[in-house]
Amino acid sequence: FRDGVEAVFAGKTTQIQFEIVGLRGRRLFMDQTAAPLFAPDDHGRVVEMVAVTRNVSAQRRAEADLLQARLSQGYAVADRPKDALASMERAVALAPTNTDYLLARAQLANWIGRRDLAADSYERVLRLNPDDRTALLMLARTRMWQGKLDASASAYRKYLRTYPDKAEVYLEYAKLESWRGNFDHAIEILEQYGKKFGNRPKVDQEEARLYAL
């Protein structure tokens, strides 16, 4: 900052960014553009500095969380999922309401078997956007992979009420209900699937499997 002031009084226009710390410890990033004001009777002598200073803390945070997200993607491409997840965790900490980051964190967590973190991420997305299609379906699947079948069934029901157009989800949900011991309900779901999508051979195949259990 001091160097910038000295440069202005040497006749230069400057643009600098610097950090300030308030009396209570709050940190802010500032952007300042400054120019010299010359004496009217001596154009080589600077008498004042004119400056415009803006608070760019939000922009810096956005740049930082974007950097963390890109770093995480790089780790994932390099097949380093644990490093990718750690980087994405930092991105989420910087931007806790960014649903793209939360979904990416969930995907990475599932990749390395951290089901609790994945489920937490999907639930946070759903608190921000209750009808998020990806989060609804992946929460149902994650709860199933955890062995939390009741919670999984609840998520599947909500998904199908909201998005009844995905055929494979009916089959997944029917299988889940059979694992819960609800064979009659599983058959009902398969019949719904058959009526909606017209794939009678698949219904017969799945029902035969259920009756064989």
Side-chain angles (χ1 to χ4, degrees):
F1 180 80
R2 185 181 294 111
D3 290 343
V5 173
E6 291 176 355
V8 171
F9 277 92
K12 299 177 182 179
T13 298
T14 64
Q15 182 175 13
I16 61 173
Q17 288 194 356
F18 54 92
E19 185 180 25
I20 61 174
V21 181
L23 294 176
R24 297 183 180 179
R26 185 185 181 197
R27 293 179 177 272
L28 297 173
F29 287 96
M30 313 301 290
D31 179 277
Q32 183 183 82
T33 300
L37 185 64
F38 295 96
D41 57 347
D42 183 354
H43 296 300
R45 182 168 62 90
V46 179
V47 294
E48 288 186 65
M49 180 180 84
V50 179
V52 176
T53 304
R54 298 179 299 121
N55 180 358
V56 294
S57 302
Q59 177 184 335
R60 286 290 296 266
R61 284 194 294 270
E63 292 171 351
D65 66 47
L66 180 59
L67 176 62
Q68 290 294 343
R70 288 178 174 170
L71 181 61
S72 176
Q73 292 172 350
Y75 283 138
V77 170
D79 199 22
R80 294 167 58 184
K82 290 184 179 179
D83 290 332
L85 178 58
S87 182
M88 189 55 68
E89 287 270 45
R90 291 191 288 272
V92 169
L94 289 165
T97 60
N98 186 311
T99 56
D100 289 336
Y101 295 167
L102 287 166
L103 289 170
R105 182 178 76 162
Q107 183 179 22
L108 289 165
N110 265 331
W111 187 5
I112 63 175
R114 293 188 58 185
R115 308 294 188 201
D116 288 344
L117 180 60
D120 174 74
S121 301
Y122 290 129
E123 287 174 342
R124 286 177 61 177
V125 172
L126 292 171
R127 284 197 290 271
L128 294 165
N129 180 9
D131 293 333
D132 186 281
R133 185 169 191 146
T134 299
L136 276 172
L137 180 55
M138 289 309 302
L139 179 61
R141 289 172 174 169
T142 300
R143 290 305 191 193
M144 180 175 62
W145 296 332
Q146 288 178 301
K148 297 181 178 181
L149 303 188
D150 291 347
S152 177
S154 176
Y156 271 116
R157 284 194 295 270
K158 182 174 181 181
Y159 180 89
L160 288 173
R161 283 197 304 269
T162 311
Y163 303 105
D165 58 341
K166 197 174 178 80
E168 67 188 67
V169 179
Y170 286 83
L171 301 178
E172 291 178 19
Y173 182 35
K175 186 179 294 185
L176 174 69
E177 288 295 354
S178 72
W179 292 344
R180 297 175 74 213
N182 298 331
F183 295 103
D184 289 343
H185 188 38
I187 295 296
E188 289 176 8
I189 297 166
L190 290 174
E191 291 296 329
Q192 291 174 17
Y193 165 85
K195 290 177 182 178
K196 189 170 184 63
F197 301 102
N199 191 346
R200 191 67 227 178
K202 184 65 175 177
V203 173
D204 292 340
Q205 177 187 345
E206 291 296 317
E207 288 185 355
R209 185 188 62 81
L210 291 179
Y211 285 127
L213 294 176

